[in-house]
């Protein structure tokens, strides 16, 4: 299979959400791969198409972090991509754990058609220019990374920043590795300087890391909408 979904879950509520997504795939005519990074592998429904990794395989420090929505460090999601890359995938859909399947569109042709080569894309995007002009956390953090790395990204190419619930990545292995290494350094700098992780933590790191490594940023709503969707159990 050419691609995989990738997610992460820490805490009982989120184990249940991932298992709900696995149940959706089981009920679907089309079975796809799912990579899960978690602190409790035994809590995950272990099916043939599910690849489960313990966070200890990557960074045990995340075992100490809060498991509620407001305080959790979402930078852990990069390890879901590292896990998927480690077993040979270079096409991935990085999702939050509250995803659901839309049976009408959940098929290989539709999903593969939503990828663009050498890109990070998503069906919902922020306007980066607006983030900078309004001095938002997203805009400020990305400008911090520019100064730290002494690398200014082309703002004209960053009209969109893919929202972090659903992101499509299709990148060759070497460039993918460099992208993830840059993301690691962004997180190290964020922690060193005490930059906030919310709102929408990691969108700015992902976009900066992508553009720094020659990866395009896109909106793919016209071909990715409604394949999957988020279903929040309750407001946080």
């Amino acid at each position: 299979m050419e691609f995989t979904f990738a997610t992460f879950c820490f805490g009982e509520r989120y184990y249940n959400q991932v298992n709900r997504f696995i149940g959706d795939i089981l009920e679907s005519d089309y079975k796809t791969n799912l990579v899960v990074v978690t602190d409790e592998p035994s809590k995950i429904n272990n099916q043939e198409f599910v690849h489960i990794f313990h966070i200890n395989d990557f960074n045990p420090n995340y075992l100490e972090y809060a498991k509620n929505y407001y305080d959790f460090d979402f930078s852990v999601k990069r390890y879901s991509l590292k896990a998927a890359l480690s077993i040979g995938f270079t096409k991935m859909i990085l999702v939050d754990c509250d995803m659901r399947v839309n049976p009408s569109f959940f098929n290989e042709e539709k999903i593969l058609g939503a990828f663009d080569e050498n890109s990070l894309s998503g069906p919902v995007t922020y306007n980066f220019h607006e983030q900078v002009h309004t001095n938002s956390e997203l805009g400020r953090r990305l400008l911090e990374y520019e100064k730290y790395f002494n690398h200014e990204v082309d703002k004209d190419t960053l009209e969109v920043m893919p929202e972090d619930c659903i992101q499509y990545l299709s990148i060759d292995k070497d460039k993918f590795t460099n992208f993830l290494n840059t993301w690691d350094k962004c997180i190290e700098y964020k922690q060193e300087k005490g930059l906030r992780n919310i709102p929408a933590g990691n969108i700015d790191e992902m976009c900066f890391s992508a553009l720094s490594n020659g990866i395009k940023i896109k909106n793919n709503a016209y071909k990715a909408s409604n394949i999957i969707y988020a279903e929040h159990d309750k407001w946080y």
Side-chain angles (χ1 to χ4, degrees), residues 16 46 55 89 101 111 118 120 125 128 133 135 165 179 194 215:
N16 292 337
N46 190 7
I55 186 57
F89 291 103
V101 165
I111 296 172
N118 191 43
L120 162 64
T125 53
F128 175 71
H133 293 317
N135 199 33
C165 284
F179 160 73
I215 300 163

Side-chain angles (χ1 to χ4, degrees), residues 40-100:
E40 289 283 356
S42 64
K43 298 283 188 177
I44 307 304
N45 185 353
N46 190 7
Q47 298 293 323
E48 185 178 356
F49 60 85
V50 181
H51 310 273
I52 305 170
F53 291 79
H54 197 295
I55 186 57
N56 275 342
D57 296 336
F58 302 100
N59 189 340
N61 291 335
Y62 283 88
L63 292 172
E64 308 300 322
Y65 294 163
K67 297 179 182 179
N68 67 80
Y69 176 78
Y70 288 109
D71 299 317
F72 182 69
D73 186 347
F74 285 92
S75 65
V76 73
K77 67 173 64 179
R78 70 193 190 279
Y79 295 116
S80 300
L81 300 180
K82 291 188 179 190
L85 191 64
S86 75
I87 56 175
F89 291 103
T90 57
K91 280 185 168 61
M92 311 170 198
I93 307 174
L94 179 62
V95 296
D96 284 352
C97 53
D98 57 359
M99 287 298 112
R100 302 302 305 268

Side-chain angles (χ1 to χ4, degrees), residues 83-163:
L85 191 64
S86 75
I87 56 175
F89 291 103
T90 57
K91 280 185 168 61
M92 311 170 198
I93 307 174
L94 179 62
V95 296
D96 284 352
C97 53
D98 57 359
M99 287 298 112
R100 302 302 305 268
V101 165
N102 183 344
S104 299
F105 298 100
F106 198 75
N107 60 71
E108 186 173 37
E109 180 181 7
K110 181 74 173 176
I111 296 172
L112 283 175
F115 286 98
D116 285 306
E117 292 302 316
N118 191 43
S119 76
L120 162 64
S121 60
V124 178
T125 53
Y126 294 88
N127 184 308
F128 175 71
H129 295 289
E130 182 179 304
Q131 301 301 317
V132 171
H133 293 317
T134 60
N135 199 33
S136 77
E137 294 286 350
L138 283 175
R140 285 186 297 192
R141 285 195 302 254
L142 191 137
L143 295 177
E144 284 273 352
Y145 301 138
E146 285 189 332
K147 289 187 290 185
Y148 174 64
F149 287 93
N150 193 27
H151 178 84
E152 184 173 352
V153 300
D154 184 355
K155 307 299 189 302
D156 292 332
T157 68
L158 194 50
E159 294 178 354
V160 296
M161 303 176 79
E163 198 264 349

